[in-house]
């Protein structure tokens, strides 16, 4: 084996091992741990196709190895061995079997595609969520409840979720692997997708279409909750506790009014006009901010407001490093952290 072939072979083995280990790892952002019927159907189709292909590979590679061993040139052998071209049996076999397999794959794929394209019946009371892809964050609107939020999509377990996918700017792709997907968000168009989570938990997702400089930071979470916990969340978002409680937070609210309210809205406050940036209602209760790129704590909020362009290059969120003093940044962070659900 030459050195080049050996290193290529090693690279191939390495990649296969990485794929195999990736499949085994208990990572939540994985199609191998489906948490609902859509993801399960898609995984089933993938597994069936994979097994068919493994079968084909084993048969073809086996036949090849057998032929190489059985019909190799032997000592003392002379002339060309008997030829089999034009063998009717072989021609029929290697034309017929692939046709049957491709037909089988087609039927399975079309059946799954149609099953997934069928929206849930209204008798199943699907929850409507409008998902808007922005450069680079996800917005979730609940028209049935009048709620707007970002980064984390709360859903009740065991209930069909009907998503209307839209884009505010460029092509994005909505993908929460444990629940199913992916589906593009296209400017000027609404794409429909339904999902369901059959167990509670937090399922991470990711924009799956290259959409600009900070595409890789465009993450999101789906939080699947019991119906009671979901109702509590809805109620809390509808009746948020947005009043500043400390002197510092009150000061932060003033700074917010002049610097931030043009782009951000907050439920339960006079700030209702800003739609360019994420709605910040109940921000204090969120686990992550900036699509999961930052944790929700004072330090990270200040870091973000101070230097957004460094964290998320080319975001429309400006750097406030030259506009706000360190103590003003502290005040804004105190105000934002105090925004709680009711
Ligand atoms: Cu949005 Cu990639």
């Amino acid at each position: 084996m030459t050195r080049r072939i050996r290193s290529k072979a090693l690279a191939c083995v390495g990649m296969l091992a990485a794929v195999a280990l990736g499949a085994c790892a208990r990572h939540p952002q994985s199609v191998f741990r489906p948490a609902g019927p859509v993801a399960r159907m898609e995984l089933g189709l993938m597994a069936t196709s994979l097994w068919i292909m493994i079968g084909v590979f084993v048969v073809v590679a086996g036949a090849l190895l057998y032929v190489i061993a059985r019909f190799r040139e032997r000592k003392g052998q002379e002339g060309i061995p008997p030829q089999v071209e034009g063998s009717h049996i072989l021609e029929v076999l290697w034309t017929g079997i692939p046709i049957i397999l491709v037909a089988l794959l087609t039927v399975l794929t079309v059946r799954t595609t149609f099953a997934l394209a069928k929206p849930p019946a209204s008798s199943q009371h699907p929850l409507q969520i409008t998902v808007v892809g922005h450069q680079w964050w996800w917005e979730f609107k609940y028209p049935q409840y009048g709620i707007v939020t970002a980064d984390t999509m709360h859903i009740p377990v065991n209930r069909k979720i009907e998503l209307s996918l839209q884009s505010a700017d460029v092509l994005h792709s909505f993908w929460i692997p444990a629940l199913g997907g992916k589906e593009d968000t296209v400017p000027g168009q609404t794409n429909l997708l339904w999902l369901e989570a059959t167990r509670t938990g937090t399922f991470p997702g990711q924009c799956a279409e290259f959409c600009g400089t900070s595409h890789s930071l465009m993450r999101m979470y789906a939080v699947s909750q019991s119906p009671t916990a979901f109702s509590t969340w809805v109620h809390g978002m509808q009746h948020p506790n947005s009043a500043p409680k400390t002197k510092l937070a009150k000061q932060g609210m003033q700074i917010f009014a002049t610097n931030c309210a043009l782009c951000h809205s907050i439920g339960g406050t006079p700030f209702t006009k800003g739609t360019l940036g994420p709605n910040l209602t109940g921000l204090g209760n969120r686990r992550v901010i900036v699509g999961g790129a930052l944790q929700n704590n004072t330090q990270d909020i200040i870091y973000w407001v101070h230097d957004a362009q460094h964290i998320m290059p080319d975001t429309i969120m400006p750097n406030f490093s030259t506009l706000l003093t360190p103590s003003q940044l502290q005040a804004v962070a105190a105000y934002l952290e105090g925004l709680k659900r009711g």
Side-chain angles (χ1 to χ4, degrees):
M1 228 192 272
T2 67
R3 218 177 168 158
R4 216 163 128 204
I5 294 177
R6 201 180 306 146
S7 58
K8 272 189 183 168
L10 270 176
C12 281
V13 170
M15 275 194 304
L16 282 175
V19 169
L21 285 174
C24 301
R26 296 183 67 77
H27 195 280
Q29 190 168 308
S30 167
V31 294
F32 294 103
R33 296 190 66 217
V38 175
R40 260 193 291 277
M41 258 192 270
E42 287 166 345
L43 181 61
L45 180 64
M46 190 167 76
T48 312
S49 310
L50 188 67
W51 283 117
I52 290 176
M53 287 168 210
I54 287 174
V56 170
F57 175 77
V58 168
V59 169
V60 171
L64 185 66
L65 289 175
Y66 172 76
V67 168
I68 289 172
R70 173 78 178 75
F71 300 107
R72 72 186 189 280
E73 190 179 18
R74 287 164 208 280
K75 252 186 195 153
Q77 193 179 352
E78 272 179 26
I80 302 172
Q83 300 296 295
V84 292
E85 65 205 48
S87 159
H88 278 210
I89 292 182
L90 284 178
E91 296 282 352
V92 168
L93 278 179
W94 65 47
T95 310
I97 294 175
I99 289 177
I100 293 170
L101 290 180
V102 170
L104 181 65
L105 284 172
T106 308
V107 169
L108 291 174
T109 307
V110 169
R111 207 177 58 176
T112 310
T113 308
F114 274 80
L116 294 178
K118 212 170 116 190
S122 54
S123 59
Q124 295 175 302
H125 305 292
L127 172 66
Q128 314 278 347
I129 303 179
T130 302
V131 179
V132 188
H134 295 257
Q135 283 176 316
W136 290 274
W137 56 283
W138 293 99
E139 181 175 34
F140 303 104
K141 300 177 185 173
Y142 297 70
Q144 290 155 314
Y145 300 117
I147 293 171
V148 182
T149 187
D151 301 340
T152 301
M153 177 176 79
H154 287 253
I155 54 172
V157 72
N158 293 326
R159 184 165 159 199
K160 302 263 188 297
I161 314 294
E162 210 167 22
L163 302 170
S164 299
L165 302 173
Q166 300 170 355
S167 169
D169 35 51
V170 299
L171 281 180
H172 303 276
S173 183
F174 178 87
W175 190 32
I176 298 179
L179 298 182
K182 341 162 162 165
E183 184 80 40
D184 279 6
T185 68
V186 182
Q189 189 183 313
T190 297
N191 283 344
L192 299 175
L193 176 74
W194 71 271
L195 298 171
E196 184 185 350
T198 46
R199 59 181 154 91
T200 57
T202 300
F203 308 110
Q206 165 77 50
C207 174
E209 176 90 40
F210 181 71
C211 55
T213 330
S214 292
H215 151 75
S216 65
L217 297 172
M218 194 169 164
R219 288 183 248 159
M220 72 190 119
Y221 293 89
V223 173
S224 159
Q225 301 171 293
S226 69
T228 325
F230 178 73
S231 297
T232 309
W233 177 80
V234 167
H235 186 266
M237 287 296 283
Q238 286 172 329
H239 306 91
N241 189 353
S242 304
K245 279 135 218 118
T246 63
K247 207 174 144 218
L248 189 65
K250 273 192 193 112
Q251 196 193 330
M253 188 177 172
Q254 298 299 324
I255 299 163
F256 185 94
T258 48
N259 291 278
C260 319
L262 213 59
C263 295
H264 296 280
S265 293
I266 300 170
T269 72
F271 313 128
T272 54
K273 298 279 184 291
T275 53
L276 278 178
N279 185 305
L280 302 177
T281 309
L283 184 91
N285 294 107
R286 297 185 199 171
R287 196 170 58 84
V288 293
I289 55 169
V290 194
L294 296 176
Q295 293 299 307
N296 189 7
N297 56 49
T298 317
Q299 208 183 343
D300 279 10
I301 291 177
I302 291 177
Y303 182 26
W304 171 248
V305 179
H306 183 263
D307 208 2
Q309 292 297 322
H310 179 72
I311 298 159
M312 187 175 271
D314 295 340
T315 170
I316 57 166
M317 169 83 177
N319 278 358
F320 282 86
S321 46
T322 53
L323 300 168
L324 299 179
T325 65
S327 61
Q328 285 177 315
L329 283 169
Q330 287 279 355
V332 170
Y335 173 57
L336 295 178
E337 282 195 296
L339 298 172
K340 303 284 186 187
R341 292 197 291 268

